[in-house]
Amino acid sequence: MAPSSVVVTIDKSTNISLKEVNNDPETSLFLEKHKTTSTKQFSWRLLLKAQRFIMFFPYLAMGFSKTFLSVKNRIAVSDSGRDEVKYKEKIMYRFIRAFLAISIVGLVVEIIVYFQNWDLKFIPNEAMGFLHYSFMGWVSFRADYLAPFVTKLSEFCVLLFMIQSIDRFILGIGCFWIKFKGIKPVIDVDDQSYDVEDPSSFPMVLVQIPMCNEREVYQQSIASACQLDWPKDRILIQVLDDSSDELLQILIRNEVNLWKEKGVNIIYRHRFLRTGYKAGNLHSAMSCDYVNDYEFVAILDADFQPNPDFLIQTVPHFKGKPDLGLVQARWSFVNKDENLLTRLQNINLCFHFEVEQQVNGHFLNFFGFNGTAGVWRIKALEDSGGWLERTTVEDMDIAVRAHLNGWKFIYLNDVKVLCELPESYEAYKKQQHRWHSGPMQLFRLALPAILSSKISKWKKANLIFLFFLLRKLILPFYSFTLFCVILPLTMFIPEAELPIWVICYVPVTMSILNILPSPKSFPFLMPYLLFENTMSVTKFNAMVSGLFQLGSAYEWVVTKKTGRSSESDLLAFAERESKSFNEEKIQRRLSESGLEMLGKLKEQETTPVVEIEKKKNRIYRKELALAFLLLTAATRSLLSAHGIHFYFLLFQGLSFLAVGLDLIGEQVN
């Protein structure tokens, strides 16, 4: 038998014996050397792994240092003196700050209890210390009095959450049905086109471009409107300029004159009394006598760039449908991939247009007018009372009043109009404030008219409970109350702890549903979920201010534009005549006062810029206070080893921190 061999004897499957033979000294020496070599190799492997682990720390430290320096630099140039307190939000900020102070005190007490290893199951007795005895009293008080109230409030918010989730799920099913059946608004077969050889067969269309101090986008918007494919004698373009900058007025007027020289039927209007914001501007334009000659009006905001066939794809839907009042097109975004903020906005708006507008348009023939990229029948506007200045959402106002008067709407998901998304959090926040305060103003004002209208009870219920209450009031209410108030509160009142499915499963499911219309955005699922909760503080404050007429409910702030152009716009602009040739024509037309203004403009353009204003980011106090509140609650959750609660609070707190330091989106001037 060979040296160091092993004999294996198997009697039964359950009886195995091993027998070692020929255990000579040479074999033992060989085994010892082999063990020594294996030990050395194992030691070297440990050293190599330790070296790699140690080398990882410099890279980690470098990454943290770069991030810290970036945050420090942005805070250093922040405009903390011009905080967002233009809106009267002091009450909410004081509430959050008081909540934060109480939470910090509670966390300190909980840390003491944790390290003292107090047994909370014992009955309080005189042998305990004062602090221990007091804490036991607090535990008894919160279990008997606070926990039931917090539990009832959380159950109410969870109920609202589930109702709103069911509404979104039903909308998703409706959208799936429309896609599955291939349902689209169609033009009547007999009237699907106009006679190109007979321009008189085309209806008269008025195109309105309202703008106010939008230097970055006026050229591309006017150019896009002037290139619309429609007979020149059947279209009139109104440039409704509410700019307060006199030099910008000259620039816009000159741009209008350039296109007028090319044969475009376009006029420039400027109001000296700029009241009523956009609604006042549109109302003033519709009061002109020549408007009576037109049948339809297309509204395009200053940053919207329709394709040349926009009118060809929208206006024919009115033929043969005398009760059709509005044809709404979809928005498409030039800068949706510019930064994280624009990507997250794109998710929300894709769901709004793909699901909400399309489903409501098909099944109800009603939805909220988006304020632009739509064509109205002028008779529908007149029958509904025209543009009113009573709210900051004049588009939703006119849509509700037209619906109450029996007019129907059509939404075209395949007709897209390019526009811009706000690239800075400052601009986005102001936009969202207006979009969420305005509907509450309108609900308060329109409720009597809804109740007394002659529409069916089903349509009244849809307007009141779904359109206004559920989607405009309940959504911001439960989002802020449940995830920013109740959840951190339950960390200090564990008797009222929220179940995991409320914190994790349902929100993630709803986020997946919201992101389905933009499948390329799936990598941003978690940032989207966290950012939506972060925006709840702004939406909740706007909703309350609009409902109770507080603070900035009637304040209108024009959303900042960057003037990004699409490829088609750049090609269109390349076809223009030379600048010198155009200026010669302008100078022949302008009066002496106009020439003086033009000289002032040229003088300003040739003056060297001494110092360029640096971009600055803001400090948002409410978001920062909520960030520290959630991080405090996360620390308390860590002491109790809550798991999902801890991670949610941690990442939600970091999300509030990033927004509070204005680290999301572009900086502002």
Side-chain angles (χ1 to χ4, degrees):
M1 186 175 290
S4 189
S5 59
V6 178
V7 177
V8 181
T9 303
I10 303 177
D11 295 336
K12 296 180 180 179
S13 59
T14 58
N15 186 11
I16 301 176
S17 63
L18 298 178
K19 186 181 294 183
E20 184 178 340
V21 297
N22 295 339
N23 190 10
D24 56 353
E26 294 182 359
T27 303
S28 301
L29 181 62
F30 173 78
L31 292 174
E32 290 179 2
K33 289 182 178 180
H34 183 69
K35 290 179 180 180
T36 305
T37 304
S38 299
T39 305
K40 288 182 179 179
Q41 290 178 350
F42 181 70
S43 301
W44 279 110
R45 288 179 181 176
L46 286 180
L47 289 174
L48 288 174
K49 290 183 178 181
Q51 183 185 12
R52 292 175 182 174
F53 182 73
I54 294 173
M55 290 296 294
F56 173 73
F57 278 97
Y59 293 104
L60 186 64
M62 186 181 300
F64 275 115
S65 64
K66 288 183 178 180
T67 304
F68 177 76
L69 288 175
S70 176
V71 173
K72 182 180 178 181
N73 292 335
R74 296 198 72 171
I75 295 176
V77 298
S78 64
D79 198 0
S80 57
R82 295 176 57 196
D83 194 69
E84 87 283 9
V85 190
K86 290 181 179 179
Y87 307 136
K88 297 182 179 179
E89 302 168 337
K90 294 182 179 179
I91 297 177
M92 175 177 286
Y93 177 64
R94 289 174 181 174
F95 166 76
I96 297 173
R97 192 170 58 179
F99 192 7
L100 174 61
I102 296 173
S103 300
I104 293 175
V105 173
L107 178 62
V108 172
V109 174
E110 294 287 351
I111 291 175
I112 295 174
V113 172
Y114 179 80
F115 285 102
Q116 291 292 331
N117 294 322
W118 288 345
D119 192 346
L120 304 181
K121 296 180 181 180
F122 287 165
I123 299 176
N125 54 67
E126 297 179 357
M128 296 179 177
F130 175 75
L131 185 59
H132 192 176
Y133 188 84
S134 300
F135 184 76
M136 293 297 295
W138 155 250
V139 171
S140 177
F141 174 79
R142 79 186 185 192
D144 294 338
Y145 299 100
L146 295 182
F149 171 75
V150 176
T151 301
K152 293 296 182 183
L153 180 60
S154 63
E155 289 175 352
F156 176 68
C157 290
V158 169
L159 177 63
L160 298 179
F161 182 26
M162 295 308 300
I163 293 174
Q164 197 270 339
S165 300
I166 292 172
D167 174 61
R168 293 240 161 176
F169 184 72
I170 293 174
L171 288 174
I173 294 177
C175 181
F176 174 77
W177 177 260
I178 292 173
K179 294 291 184 183
F180 180 73
K181 291 293 186 179
I183 301 173
K184 295 181 181 179
V186 295
I187 303 172
D188 292 341
V189 178
D190 297 335
D191 299 321
Q192 62 181 357
S193 61
Y194 298 105
D195 187 0
V196 180
E197 297 181 356
D198 183 14
S200 61
S201 64
F202 288 75
M204 299 287 285
V205 177
L206 181 67
V207 179
Q208 295 179 332
I209 310 176
M211 59 180 64
C212 180
N213 294 326
E214 298 181 268
R215 181 186 296 268
E216 297 83 5
V217 294
Y218 74 91
Q219 285 183 315
Q220 63 195 44
S221 62
I222 294 175
S224 299
C226 291
Q227 294 171 11
L228 289 173
D229 188 8
W230 204 257
K232 293 183 179 181
D233 59 342
R234 311 295 291 178
I235 185 174
L236 172 64
I237 300 172
Q238 285 182 320
V239 178
L240 311 177
D241 181 25
D242 261 5
S243 302
S244 57
D245 186 349
E246 294 182 358
L247 297 179
L248 182 57
Q249 295 172 24
I250 291 293
L251 288 173
I252 297 174
R253 187 183 296 112
N254 290 347
E255 186 71 17
V256 170
N257 290 332
L258 290 178
W259 286 102
K260 187 178 293 185
E261 287 290 331
K262 296 180 181 181
V264 178
N265 192 11
I266 183 173
I267 61 173
Y268 172 86
R269 295 190 82 256
H270 177 75
R271 294 192 302 161
F272 293 99
L273 297 177
R274 297 184 295 273
T275 58
Y277 303 114
K278 181 180 176 181
N281 197 359
L282 293 173
H283 178 75
S284 174
M286 293 298 293
S287 63
C288 298
D289 294 335
Y290 55 79
V291 173
N292 297 327
D293 300 331
Y294 293 85
E295 187 177 357
F296 305 105
V297 55
I299 301 173
L300 301 168
D301 280 355
D303 60 317
F304 279 70
Q305 308 162 44
N307 291 326
D309 61 349
F310 171 72
L311 295 178
I312 296 294
Q313 291 184 317
T314 54
V315 175
H317 285 275
F318 288 97
K319 299 188 70 174
K321 302 172 185 175
D323 58 346
L324 181 60
L326 168 67
V327 175
Q328 173 72 59
R330 177 173 178 168
W331 297 1
S332 180
F333 309 106
V334 179
N335 58 339
K336 62 182 179 181
D337 297 324
E338 186 64 25
N339 54 43
L340 178 60
L341 179 61
T342 58
R343 292 177 185 271
L344 300 179
Q345 293 178 67
N346 180 61
I347 296 173
N348 256 342
L349 291 172
C350 281
F351 181 86
H352 170 69
F353 286 105
E354 185 84 17
V355 179
E356 292 179 339
Q357 297 292 76
Q358 189 168 209
V359 171
N360 290 327
H362 174 71
F363 291 102
L364 302 176
N365 293 122
F366 167 73
F367 47 81
F369 174 46
N370 293 117
T372 179
V375 181
W376 278 93
R377 189 189 297 272
I378 294 180
K379 188 176 185 300
L381 292 177
E382 294 173 346
D383 288 350
S384 305
W387 299 102
L388 299 181
E389 307 169 9
R390 57 181 182 171
T391 70
T392 57
V393 283
E394 73 295 325
D395 45 8
M396 186 181 294
D397 188 1
I398 188 64
V400 170
R401 286 184 281 118
H403 180 58
L404 296 179
N405 281 278
W407 292 98
K408 296 182 179 180
F409 303 163
I410 283 181
Y411 172 73
L412 304 178
N413 192 56
D414 295 334
V415 181
K416 300 179 180 181
V417 181
L418 283 174
C419 62
E420 284 188 23
L421 291 167
E423 295 184 9
S424 69
Y425 179 69
E426 175 73 11
Y428 179 63
K429 182 176 181 179
K430 291 177 179 178
Q431 181 195 71
Q432 292 300 304
H433 188 278
R434 176 165 54 87
W435 284 6
H436 286 81
S437 65
M440 291 298 97
Q441 303 170 22
L442 179 60
F443 175 66
R444 183 173 42 80
L445 296 172
L447 183 59
I450 295 174
L451 295 175
S452 61
S453 64
K454 297 181 181 179
I455 61 176
S456 65
K457 294 181 180 180
W458 155 245
K459 291 184 178 181
K460 291 181 181 180
N462 173 68
L463 267 178
I464 296 174
F465 295 107
L466 293 181
F467 186 76
F468 280 112
L469 291 181
L470 183 59
R471 297 167 187 167
K472 302 298 188 296
L473 187 147
I474 290 177
L475 177 59
F477 171 77
Y478 84 75
S479 182
F480 173 74
T481 306
L482 188 61
F483 296 108
C484 298
V485 177
I486 295 178
L487 179 59
L489 186 62
T490 56
M491 295 300 100
F492 299 94
I493 307 178
E495 295 83 359
E497 182 178 324
L498 290 173
I500 294 178
W501 62 269
V502 174
I503 301 171
C504 180
Y505 302 143
V506 176
V508 171
T509 303
M510 288 299 102
S511 297
I512 292 175
L513 180 62
N514 289 355
I515 216 169
L516 282 177
S518 53
K520 293 183 179 179
S521 301
F522 260 97
F524 303 95
L525 176 64
M526 294 312 298
Y528 169 74
L529 172 61
L530 296 173
F531 183 70
E532 280 301 289
N533 290 334
T534 304
M535 285 303 300
S536 65
V537 60
T538 297
K539 296 176 181 179
F540 177 82
N541 180 74
M543 180 268 293
V544 173
S545 65
L547 189 61
F548 299 103
Q549 296 180 278
L550 302 177
S552 58
Y554 291 94
E555 183 175 354
W556 178 293
V557 180
V558 178
T559 305
K560 181 68 175 176
K561 314 294 192 311
T562 59
R564 300 187 185 277
S565 299
S566 64
E567 183 179 355
S568 60
D569 295 318
L570 295 175
L571 293 175
F573 291 143
E575 297 176 357
R576 290 190 178 187
E577 296 177 314
S578 64
K579 183 177 180 181
S580 59
F581 178 74
N582 289 332
E583 286 188 351
E584 289 178 1
K585 288 187 174 182
I586 294 172
Q587 290 176 359
R588 287 198 301 266
R589 290 190 304 267
L590 293 176
S591 61
E592 294 182 0
S593 59
L595 289 173
E596 291 178 1
M597 293 294 295
L598 184 60
K600 187 184 298 184
L601 174 63
K602 289 185 176 181
E603 181 180 353
Q604 185 187 50
E605 290 178 348
T606 56
T607 302
V609 179
V610 178
E611 182 179 358
I612 299 177
E613 185 180 1
K614 294 182 178 180
K615 290 185 176 181
K616 297 181 179 181
N617 59 311
R618 307 287 178 86
I619 298 296
Y620 300 97
R621 298 189 299 176
K622 290 195 310 301
E623 284 80 356
L624 283 179
L626 279 169
F628 293 127
L629 171 63
L630 293 172
L631 292 176
T632 302
T635 307
R636 173 63 184 87
S637 177
L638 183 63
L639 296 177
S640 302
H642 277 137
I644 294 294
H645 297 73
F646 165 72
Y647 289 110
F648 181 87
L649 288 167
L650 174 64
F651 289 112
Q652 190 63 70
L654 294 176
S655 176
F656 268 103
L657 184 63
V659 172
L661 296 176
D662 198 12
L663 300 178
I664 182 173
E666 298 294 328
Q667 293 174 316
V668 297
N669 288 326

